Amino acid sequence: MLRSSPDWIIRVSGCYLGERIVSAPRLTASSLDIRPLYYFVHVVESGSFSRAAAALAISQPVLSRFVRRLEDGLKVQLLYRNGRGVGVTEAGQRFFEHAQTMLQTLSGAEIEVAALRGTALGRVSIALPPLLGGVLSAELIRSLKAEYPLVTVTLREGFSAEALEWLSAGSVDIGILFNPPKVATLITQHIFDDRIHLVGAPGSLDEPGGAEIPTRRLAALAMILPPAPHRLRSLIEDASHEAGITLNTEVEVSGTNTMLELVRKRIGFTILPSALLKDELAEGRIMSWPIGEPKIVSHLFTATSMQRPQTLATRAVLKTIGEVFKRNLA
């Protein structure tokens, strides 16, 4: 229903132009074409179709058609001709102000996004093995803050099976995995090779820490190992088979922290990659000996999912992880 009012009122369902209420036009594909706005603003600022056409390097009839299309879509007159060129109606002035704001906002957005081109930013979630976070998380975050201040990381501790599940579900961007299985949807990158060590309480063996222990000596020790099919369990069993021995597995434990606690309490020995032992060894809470004959090596990889495209931030974090490992563990 049409009615007059002395006031300007903004409503969701309609808006006042002059003293009439008209329905707000629905957005269509043509509504999203900013050329009519751009041309209209140039005409108003130039005060003439001919001057605006010359500045825009288009013909005056084409410019007139764009402005007329704009008026037809809005169902209101925006411009009127006078002796000096064109003038702006009250509705045209109001629309001119909005059009200016929209074009300025779009221009600002383009400038801001262009400024970020090539800049890593955003949140990246990382799954990493227990204890490895304690070794590397502080150094990783310091390096990222220094080189990529717009990147924020989220760290989740979990074993390889959990990390693989998180990668598959898309709940993490990067997994740090020891000996990952071959999965068609994973992109893996090798970052570090690590010796597997026998781990015991201080003084539990008559061997100096760091001295190589042949695999055959493990047959005489009470072992605390992760249950099969854990990748670490597979490595030690393969080495034991090659050495011609049978392991004496006293306790099966899936958690690294629990395994180390049992080792510290002298319940038995375990095996772990040396990268996970750095802090414990520095504090003198355990001793470790690299296993040889055969030598057991664990391979550490970063993994990302093909189903989750790598962002610039993800690539920056992958690069930094590799650099941190080289500095701290190589």
Side-chain angles (χ1 to χ4, degrees), residues 244-258:
I245 66 167
T246 300
L247 294 172
N248 175 26
T249 305
E250 290 278 331
V251 185
E252 290 186 337
V253 180
S254 59
T256 307
N257 286 311
T258 303

Side-chain angles (χ1 to χ4, degrees), residues 186-227:
L186 282 187
I187 302 170
T188 58
Q189 181 177 349
H190 175 258
I191 53 174
F192 185 64
D193 285 335
D194 197 7
R195 290 286 299 271
I196 297 295
H197 282 221
L198 176 70
V199 184
S204 57
L205 283 184
D206 293 330
E207 294 285 350
E212 187 171 287
I213 297 289
T215 301
R216 63 179 180 275
R217 287 194 57 182
L218 273 58
L221 304 176
M223 298 300 298
I224 303 166
L225 297 175

